[in-house]
């Protein structure tokens, strides 16, 4: 017998129906964005060695994958491009015939209800793999901020012209959100949104992505433009700046090791917030599953944590699988 009035916590948890009824977080495919790699190539698709279960698609091959996602009610995709040729001005990034631009046009035509987002970065198109223009200096090299921002704005405009609903600058140069907003508005794309990689940490968790996109820097690292894992105030400053410059959604990246940042940003800004469950987080879950862990339970626990932390939008390579599991309607 209970000696005092008491919340019947354990009793509530015993019944799956009650557990679901009282759940505070509701994860659904509606908050997923599926990242997809599109490559300028003849073959329809090729497996990405570093990311089990993920593929690079040709612009045509991509449509089959997008169709599956749409059927599972995943509302949005985020496109990364892998061009045939790279150079030191990232020309492939802002060419009207660029691989992402082609893919966007095809997706918009075939799937009018789908939200199309494009990663707006130069690194996949640069021969050296950095997110901006590199200048040699006496002591090594420097990534030029303002010159890079110009190319990033040009890339965003060309993606909007192809039909992207959202452009997603991921380079972390200063002032790029304002420059992108200005370029879009000046050319009649007031309706195109900006998803800003606002708090992007310099992270080991991006390793598999760089293999997938062939975008690892050939020299140096990204520490001069991506954030230090030890910093919290800086993340909030970056997000405040991007909101002021005109971002429509701000992002924290990676997600799992930065759940505190997600929660703090949500509490502070009450602004649409995305979290990027990045390649390394995906691969860790895949490896654990290979070792016999319950993949469904693991992935849903991870995605629920990101949701609970405060993310409105979750960018995740698990989107297709998780959408399937969630549609299965089995209590978690
Ligand atoms: C491009 C970019 C990266 C990721 C997204 N956009 C790589 C990087 O900054 O090195 C990483 C995504 C992932 O790991 O899934 N700047």
């Amino acid at each position: 017998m209970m000696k005092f009035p008491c919340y019947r916590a354990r009793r509530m948890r015993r019944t799956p129906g009650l557990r679901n009824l009282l759940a505070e977080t509701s994860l659904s495919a509606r908050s997923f964005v599926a990242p997809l790699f599109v490559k300028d190539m003849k073959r329809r698709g090729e497996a990405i060695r570093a990311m089990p279960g993920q593929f690079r698609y040709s612009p045509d091959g991509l449509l089959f994958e997008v169709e599956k996602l749409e059927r599972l009610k995943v509302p949005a995709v985020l496109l990364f491009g892998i061009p045939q040729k790279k150079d030191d001005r990232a020309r492939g990034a802002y060419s009207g015939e660029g691989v992402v631009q082609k893919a966007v046009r095809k997706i918009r035509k075939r799937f009018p209800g789908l939200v199309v987002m494009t990663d707006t970065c130069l690194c996949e198109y640069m021969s050296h793999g950095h997110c901006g223009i590199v200048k040699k200096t006496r002591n090594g090299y420097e990534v030029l901020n303002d010159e890079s921002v110009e190319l990033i704005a040009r890339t965003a405009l060309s993606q909007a012209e192809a039909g992207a609903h959202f452009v997603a600058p991921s380079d972390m140069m200063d002032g790029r959100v304002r420059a992108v907003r200005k370029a879009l508005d000046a050319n009649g794309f007031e309706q195109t949104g900006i998803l800003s990689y606002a708090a992007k940490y310099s992270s080991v968790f991006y390793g598999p992505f760089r293999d997938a996109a062939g975008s690892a820097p050939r020299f140096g690292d990204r520490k001069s433009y991506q954030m230090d894992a030890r910093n919290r105030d800086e993340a909030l400053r970056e997000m405040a700046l991007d909101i002021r410059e005109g971002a429509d959604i701000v992002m924290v990246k990676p997600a799992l090791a930065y759940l505190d940042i997600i929660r703090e940003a949500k509490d502070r800004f009450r602004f649409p917030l995305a979290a990027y469950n990045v390649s390394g987080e995906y691969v860790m879950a895949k490896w654990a599953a290979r070792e016999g862990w319950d993949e469904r339970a693991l992935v849903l626990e991870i995605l629920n944590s990101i949701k609970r932390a405060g993310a409105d939008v979750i960018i995740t390579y698990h989107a297709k699988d998780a959408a399937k599991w969630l549609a299965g309607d089995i209590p978690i």
Side-chain angles (χ1 to χ4, degrees):
M1 267 302 270
M2 275 184 285
K3 296 205 177 59
F4 47 86
C6 174
Y7 173 59
R8 276 123 182 106
R10 306 232 355 250
R11 238 175 279 173
M12 301 281 194
R13 287 186 205 122
R14 263 199 308 265
T15 326
L18 275 177
R19 263 203 316 269
N20 285 340
L21 186 68
L22 295 174
E24 295 171 43
T25 295
S26 164
L27 186 67
S28 112
R30 262 179 304 169
S31 39
F32 294 160
V33 176
L36 295 171
F37 298 96
V38 52
K39 182 174 171 181
D40 205 352
M41 63 176 176
K42 288 234 171 66
R43 295 171 60 189
R44 278 174 178 255
E46 62 187 25
I48 300 170
R49 200 192 46 79
M51 297 176 70
Q54 297 294 313
F55 296 81
R56 302 182 196 92
Y57 298 100
S58 70
D60 282 314
L62 192 69
L63 297 174
F64 290 91
E65 187 65 10
V66 173
E67 189 174 357
K68 287 183 207 154
L69 289 163
E70 198 191 41
R71 256 197 232 133
L72 287 162
K73 303 209 164 38
V74 173
V77 294
L78 172 61
L79 302 184
F80 293 92
I82 303 147
Q84 237 164 34
K85 275 194 230 122
K86 302 180 189 243
D87 58 40
D88 61 359
R89 309 281 308 175
R91 289 187 176 82
Y94 41 86
S95 151
E97 286 310 300
V99 65
V100 163
Q101 287 81 350
K102 274 190 212 159
V104 171
R105 286 194 290 266
K106 284 181 195 284
I107 296 176
R108 286 296 311 266
K109 207 160 144 205
R110 271 279 286 281
F111 307 98
L114 196 85
V115 177
V116 181
M117 305 180 167
T118 50
D119 185 79
T120 308
C121 197
L122 307 174
C123 61
E124 295 100 339
Y125 306 88
M126 286 285 197
S127 35
H128 46 62
H130 277 286
C131 302
I133 297 174
V134 167
K135 193 182 99 182
K136 284 208 176 75
T137 61
R138 236 178 308 143
N139 308 327
Y141 71 96
E142 193 188 332
V143 177
L144 301 177
N145 190 89
D146 296 4
E147 288 82 344
S148 305
V149 166
E150 252 178 71
L151 293 189
I152 285 153
R154 213 160 134 184
T155 303
L157 180 57
S158 134
Q159 294 172 338
E161 280 166 352
H165 296 98
F166 267 90
V167 294
S170 63
D171 51 281
M172 290 294 281
M173 301 295 143
D174 291 338
R176 87 257 200 242
V177 173
R178 173 166 296 142
V180 166
R181 187 69 271 158
K182 213 172 124 194
L184 292 175
D185 290 352
N187 289 279
F189 292 98
E190 292 91 352
Q191 300 302 316
T192 307
I194 299 178
L195 162 63
S196 154
Y197 288 63
K200 179 173 180 180
Y201 284 90
S202 168
S203 170
V204 166
F205 288 103
Y206 306 151
F209 172 95
R210 291 178 186 173
D211 180 58
S215 65
R218 295 251 294 275
F219 50 85
D221 54 41
R222 301 204 205 288
K223 286 196 164 55
S224 69
Y225 42 99
Q226 297 182 353
M227 289 175 24
D228 188 317
R230 292 169 296 189
N231 293 355
R232 202 167 82 177
D233 290 348
E234 189 188 0
L236 297 167
R237 264 197 318 270
E238 288 278 6
M239 282 187 263
L241 271 173
D242 283 7
I243 291 170
R244 210 171 322 135
E245 287 185 23
D248 301 284
I249 307 175
V250 286
M251 186 203 295
V252 174
K253 175 183 172 194
L256 271 190
Y258 301 88
L259 293 175
D260 57 326
I261 308 293
I262 296 174
R263 169 45 59 195
E264 207 166 335
K266 190 66 201 171
D267 284 347
R268 177 166 312 203
F269 300 119
R270 299 276 147 206
F271 198 79
L273 184 66
Y276 200 142
N277 177 218
V278 299
S279 57
E281 301 170 17
Y282 169 82
V283 170
M284 284 203 301
K286 282 285 174 192
W287 284 343
R290 276 190 183 175
E291 289 294 313
W293 292 32
D294 178 344
E295 185 177 4
R296 174 184 175 276
L298 174 63
V299 169
L300 292 181
E301 182 173 337
I302 289 171
L303 297 176
N304 267 305
S305 309
I306 297 171
K307 190 83 193 166
R308 190 196 62 236
D312 303 299
V313 172
I314 305 177
I315 302 165
T316 177
Y317 302 96
H318 297 294
K320 192 171 65 178
D321 288 339
K324 260 187 233 160
W325 291 323
L326 291 167
D329 220 11
I330 313 161
I332 289 165

